[in-house]
Amino acid sequence: MEEVGNEKKMEMEIRRGPWTAEEDMKLINYIALHGEGRWNSLSRSAGLNRTGKSCRLRWLNYLRPDIRRGDISLQEQFVILELHSRWGNRWSKIAQHLPGRTDNEIKNYWRTRVQKHAKLLKCDVNSKQFKDTLKHLWMPRLVERIAASTQNVEFTPYDYSPENSSVATATSSSTSSESIGSSFYGGDQVEYGTLDQMTNNDSTLFNNGDAFDNMWSVDELNIWLLHSNLCDLI
DNA sequence: AACAGTCCCAACCGCGAATGA
DNA sequence: CTCATTCGCGGTTGGGACTGT
């Protein structure tokens, strides 16, 4: 009986909700000394009344020194759209190609920004219509804007069109994370921007923030959807 | 100024996979 | 092989911040 009572007491002491600065410091200091991993025992040893899960999440999504904060840049938006079109909601896999960004952040971005547009257009975010809108309208537009915003820095915008995109040509067997990591788009001969260039720390590349929302009007998108529907019927 | 509605993000939850005893 | 524990992922939620009326 007493044991059950103690367990209950332990459970009662487990903290939830927002982390305090003191808890953050405990976690940072402990990991600096002992490294990460073994989260449950780490939590106990560090003197944190948190679940191992909670500690892991806090570290990976917030405290890690290489976390990048701030708006998602045009380049990053493009990478997210591109990789999501290939892999779907594989947030952690997508995050691996966006240094400093977490799966949680990308997931939040997708839900708040991209799904918002789908909602405005009254179509499902997973529908062919919406995917086509992304591929044929949003992504080419993003490329234009990336090219415009990077004219003054050493970035070689590639000739993007949905047809030469790996979105259109890739098969599941031919896509690999390595191909994305080394050269952002396919062919070795073509001078494409590399992922590093797409996601480096150059402030001129990363201060474009929220441009996504203002790229086109709902009317513009609706006209395009109507047009693509008519084309499908013909 | 006050309120309602919406947006955004940190954090939690459930589940399946991996690992170890 | 089995069971328990831990880890990692994707989905969901709570609440503060922001915006519009």
Side-chain angles (χ1 to χ4, degrees), chain A residues 19 43 49 71 77-78 83 87 89 92 104 106 112 121 137-138 146 150 152 158 162 168 171 183 190 194 202 220 233:
Chain A
W19 281 62
S43 173
N49 295 321
D71 290 336
Q77 288 172 26
F78 183 87
L83 297 185
W87 298 328
N89 298 356
S92 63
N104 210 31
I106 294 164
T112 55
L121 294 169
L137 198 64
W138 293 22
I146 290 166
T150 56
N152 297 327
Y158 42 80
T171 62
S183 174
V190 190
T194 65
D202 191 318
E220 190 182 2
L233 287 173

Side-chain angles (χ1 to χ4, degrees), chain A residues 142-156:
Chain A
L142 264 175
V143 170
E144 281 171 24
R145 293 184 63 125
I146 290 166
S149 69
T150 56
Q151 270 175 352
N152 297 327
V153 298
E154 279 194 25
F155 174 77
T156 311

Side-chain angles (χ1 to χ4, degrees), chain A residues 67-158:
Chain A
I67 291 282
R68 193 208 311 278
R69 309 220 148 272
D71 290 336
I72 306 281
S73 69
L74 291 171
Q75 286 80 5
E76 288 173 313
Q77 288 172 26
F78 183 87
V79 173
I80 292 169
L81 295 183
E82 160 67 16
L83 297 185
H84 187 275
S85 73
R86 282 192 209 182
W87 298 328
N89 298 356
R90 302 287 305 279
W91 306 119
S92 63
K93 195 172 178 182
I94 294 170
Q96 285 168 13
H97 296 281
L98 290 163
R101 298 294 187 183
T102 67
D103 57 349
N104 210 31
E105 200 172 7
I106 294 164
K107 186 168 56 183
N108 281 332
Y109 167 76
W110 185 266
R111 289 188 61 80
T112 55
R113 310 293 177 78
V114 181
Q115 288 197 351
K116 184 179 81 179
H117 282 278
K119 199 177 168 186
L120 282 171
L121 294 169
K122 296 185 174 67
C123 64
D124 189 273
V125 76
N126 294 315
S127 66
K128 183 177 182 301
Q129 264 188 353
F130 190 70
K131 285 176 181 172
D132 283 349
T133 313
L134 287 180
K135 195 163 84 180
H136 295 285
L137 198 64
W138 293 22
M139 290 173 73
R141 187 76 69 92
L142 264 175
V143 170
E144 281 171 24
R145 293 184 63 125
I146 290 166
S149 69
T150 56
Q151 270 175 352
N152 297 327
V153 298
E154 279 194 25
F155 174 77
T156 311
Y158 42 80

Side-chain angles (χ1 to χ4, degrees), chain A residues 28-61:
Chain A
I28 289 167
N29 290 335
Y30 189 88
I31 289 176
L33 286 174
H34 302 96
E36 47 183 290
R38 307 283 303 169
W39 294 103
N40 279 328
S41 58
L42 181 152
S43 173
R44 283 190 296 271
S45 306
L48 290 158
N49 295 321
R50 295 273 183 175
T51 63
K53 260 185 165 184
S54 180
C55 294
R56 175 181 168 273
L57 205 68
R58 183 64 177 172
W59 175 254
L60 293 178
N61 287 341

